[in-house]
Amino acid sequence: MNHLESYLILSALLFSLGLYTVITRKNGVAILMGIELILNAANINFVAFSKFVTHQVEGHLMAIFIIMLAAAEAAVALAIILNLYNDQGNINVDEADALKR
Amino acid sequence: MSEVIFWVIWVLVVISAMIVAYSKNLIYSVFSLLATFVGVAAIYIFLNADFIAVTQIVIYVGGILVLLIFGIMLTNRIAVAKINQSSFQTSLGMVVVGAVFVILVITILGQSWPVLAESMDFDSTVGKIGTLLFGDYLILFEVASILLLGALIGAATLARKEL
């Protein structure tokens, strides 16, 4: 727990699993979950570097702004997904080929 | 003792993230995402980031996860208890993601990071974060508030019945 590498490997694992979710899922909400995993991985990196390398709290500030951006992004994405559901009856992103029908 | 707890949480985060990525049932995915978020908050506590850990619990678990569950419930027939989801391009995705992960691990382990000589603990980060947020980072803070207002109005506009 006192090695930077253990946190970086954890964050690399979370990033890879999030990327896998984004690549392979069809469901829009599942893709959003993958994006949240990726953002969490980035946050772990910021906080770990700010403890082990710089010992300043600037990394924590970046983590706060990332969390805030994730909240804004989730709200807007879910509004879009609800519209997609009203338009085509499901939220499979591979079937979404029209902006309006 | 805390070393053991750290590795237990480490493994828990990875396993629950794997369930998010591989589960056939969307409800299982979203509830193991809950375990991932709480586990990451515990990891923040091991990094002495008390404020970030609490923010993670409040915003991710209390806000974003509830939004995701709402999204699932509003876009599926709830009468069907098992909400399936399908994946595609799994083998190709596995190859790409495996390659990305191997490259990341090689980079992480092959680098000599400029780590501080003795690892120091933060006593409390809340005061320092507040000072920075209303000092050097004030413009970023205000821009963030404008962005949140825009996201609020945009989401409310997009989610209306008649667009």
Side-chain angles (χ1 to χ4, degrees), chain A:
Chain A
M1 57 176 273
N2 268 327
H3 294 285
L4 178 62
E5 281 80 6
S6 56
Y7 296 98
L8 295 186
I9 298 281
L10 175 65
S11 136
L13 266 169
L14 277 186
F15 174 79
S16 307
L17 289 169
L19 189 64
Y20 180 79
T21 312
V22 171
I23 290 177
T24 58
R25 290 299 196 203
K26 287 180 183 177
N27 189 303
V29 179
I31 291 175
L32 211 55
M33 281 154 50
I35 294 173
E36 303 298 345
L37 281 184
I38 292 176
L39 291 173
N40 261 291
N43 266 349
I44 292 176
N45 267 5
F46 270 120
V47 178
F49 279 122
S50 94
K51 178 181 178 188
F52 287 105
V53 177
T54 63
H55 202 70
Q56 305 280 322
V57 292
E58 264 88 354
H60 294 201
L61 276 174
M62 289 304 133
I64 290 173
F65 283 114
I66 290 175
I67 290 174
M68 185 213 73
L69 283 175
E73 164 249 314
V76 175
L78 276 168
I80 292 173
I81 285 172
L82 286 183
N83 269 317
L84 198 61
Y85 181 71
N86 285 336
D87 269 359
Q88 66 181 27
N90 59 40
I91 52 173
N92 290 345
V93 290
D94 59 331
E95 293 169 29
D97 51 4
L99 287 175
K100 198 177 178 90
R101 64 182 75 204

Side-chain angles (χ1 to χ4, degrees), chain B residues 5-43:
Chain B
I5 296 175
F6 173 77
W7 287 108
V8 167
I9 291 170
W10 201 98
V11 171
L12 199 95
V13 169
V14 173
I15 289 175
S16 57
M18 276 181 177
I19 295 174
V20 173
Y22 294 110
S23 171
K24 286 262 175 282
N25 191 332
L26 194 53
I27 296 293
Y28 290 172
S29 281
V30 79
F31 276 101
S32 64
L33 195 63
L34 170 74
T36 313
F37 287 159
V38 175
V40 170
I43 296 286

Side-chain angles (χ1 to χ4, degrees), chain B residues 29-135:
Chain B
S29 281
V30 79
F31 276 101
S32 64
L33 195 63
L34 170 74
T36 313
F37 287 159
V38 175
V40 170
I43 296 286
Y44 290 150
I45 290 173
F46 277 103
L47 287 165
N48 302 122
D50 46 1
F51 186 71
I52 307 290
V54 174
T55 314
Q56 168 94 2
I57 299 273
V58 170
I59 295 184
Y60 267 108
V61 180
I64 294 178
L65 208 69
V66 172
L67 264 180
L68 288 176
I69 293 173
F70 262 103
I72 292 170
M73 294 299 172
L74 287 173
T75 54
N76 284 284
R77 301 262 171 272
I78 303 301
V80 194
K82 196 171 184 313
I83 298 173
N84 284 315
Q85 58 177 347
S86 48
S87 303
F88 65 145
Q89 309 166 351
T90 46
S91 49
L92 192 62
M94 200 81 86
V95 170
V96 171
V97 169
V100 168
F101 179 67
V102 168
I103 291 171
L104 280 175
V105 168
I106 289 173
T107 314
I108 289 167
L109 295 181
Q111 198 83 13
S112 67
W113 301 101
V115 178
L116 296 174
E118 78 277 20
S119 72
M120 291 178 288
D121 289 352
F122 293 111
D123 26 334
S124 170
T125 60
V126 181
K128 289 180 200 153
I129 287 174
T131 314
L132 275 178
L133 210 54
F134 287 96

